[in-house]
Structures are given as C-alpha cells and as structure tokens.
C-alpha cells in the first residue's frame, strides 16, 4: 500500500466518502454503494434517498468499507461486511444453489476515482479491507470477482474486482458463478494486540 493510507468508513470519514461519490455523480447511476445492502437500489429510489440511506447506515455502524487515501484525498474504497449486511450479491440464485457454510464476511464492491485507476488503489483497498476484517475479529471471507484474464474489460466495470487481484491476497477459487465470475475465499486471522497496538493478520 505504498503511498496510500487506509481508514475505515465511519461517521468521521463520511464526508470524505461522500465527497468521492459526489465527484462521480453518485456512482453507477446514483447508487451510493447501496446495491448490496438489503434496501437495494432501483427505479423506486432516487440518488438522494440512496445517499440518505447510506449515511444512516454508516452513522449507525451498519456499513463497512476500507477507504483509500492519497494524501488528504479519498480516492477509492472496498466494501465489506457480514452476509446479513450485504445480502444482495450478484448471481445470487447460482450462489445459493450450491451453498455450504456461509462466510463470516463478504467483499462485494470496489470503486476507484477515475483519475487514479490502474494505479494500485484497488489492491490497497482490498488489503485495507482484510486488515479491517482482522481488527474486527477475522473469520472466513468470500469475494465474487470477475476473471478478466485474456479479456478486454473496462476498469470502470470491474466493481467486484478481478480474480487475480484476490489471488494476490491469498484467496482461492471455490466455484464458478455465471460465465466469468467466481466465488473466492480465504480465512483471515484475528488481529492481535502487541505493545498497545493492533497488528493485522
């Protein structure tokens, strides 16, 4: 994560997150990163309603993300949370058709400022999310990335990350979801406290 800082999404960092979303017109049609929460998004909700719902979740501690900073500027994030917090994953029918033990945590979404794409922000965000998961007790973690090897895919559409990105952090393929997406998984050990400081997994 050389050159980047990581902070959790919380009340204190909400203005930084909101500023990044606002610079990108609400992100993906004004979803405000609500698509994977139980409320979802759609024609029945406006960007303003999505913003309000997201802020309420953040201030109540019901939304998690690792925010990436380049100096004082928030330039990306990786959304994560327990399945109860993020139930609306893509390819849900295929996922549930062969479901074993649910994970403790899901990683569902990445976003990178358009001026910082292909600069390592997504990798820093994933590493930061895993550190946050370790701090919060660790456990089994799943992601649902896209296999982009040998294919031309716009970085702006790789919101779930790539298989390669996850594999670099020790995730292994578990099963296929759809044509190009996979369930990947790994276990994160809980952080330990040493000399009054928290160490990651």
């Amino acid at each position: 994560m050389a050159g980047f800082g990581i902070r959790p999404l919380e009340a204190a960092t909400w203005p930084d997150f909101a500023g990044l979303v606002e610079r990108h017109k609400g992100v993906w049609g004004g979803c405000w990163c609500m698509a994977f929460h139980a409320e979802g998004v759609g024609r029945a909700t406006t960007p303003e309603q999505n913003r309000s719902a997201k802020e309420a979740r953040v201030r109540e501690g019901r939304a998690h993300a690792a925010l990436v900073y380049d100096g004082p500027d928030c330039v990306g994030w990786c959304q994560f949370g327990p399945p109860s917090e993020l139930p609306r994953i893509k390819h849900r029918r295929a996922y549930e058709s062969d479901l074993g033990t649910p994970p403790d945590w899901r990683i569902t979404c990445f976003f990178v400022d358009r001026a910082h794409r292909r600069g390592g922000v997504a990798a820093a965000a994933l590493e930061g999310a895993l550190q946050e998961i370790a701090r919060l007790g660790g456990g089994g973690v799943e992601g649902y990335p896209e296999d982009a090897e040998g294919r031309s895919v716009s970085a702006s559409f790789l919101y779930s990350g790539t298989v390669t990105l996850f594999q670099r952090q020790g995730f292994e393929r578990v099963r296929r979801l759809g044509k190009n997406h996979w369930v990947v998984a790994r276990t994160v050990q809980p952080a330990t406290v040493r000399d009054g400081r928290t160490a990651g997994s």
Side-chain angles (χ1 to χ4, degrees), residues 3 7 17 19 21 27 36 40 56 72 82 95 101 108 113 124 126-127 143 150 162 170 186 197 199 201:
R7 294 180 67 185
F17 171 83
V21 177
V27 179
F36 298 99
Y95 175 81
T101 302
T108 55
D113 183 285
L126 177 56
E127 185 175 347
T162 66
R186 64 162 284 188
R197 294 180 297 176
S201 60

Side-chain angles (χ1 to χ4, degrees), residues 81-125:
S84 59
E85 185 177 296
L86 299 168
R88 299 172 64 92
I89 61 173
K90 302 294 184 181
H91 306 287
R92 186 171 176 178
R93 182 176 298 179
Y95 175 81
E96 293 180 346
S97 69
D98 191 23
L99 181 62
T101 302
D104 299 297
W105 302 93
R106 284 177 169 161
I107 291 174
T108 55
C109 181
F110 294 80
F111 184 76
V112 178
D113 183 285
R114 66 173 65 90
H116 289 77
R117 288 173 186 161
R118 302 191 183 280
V121 174

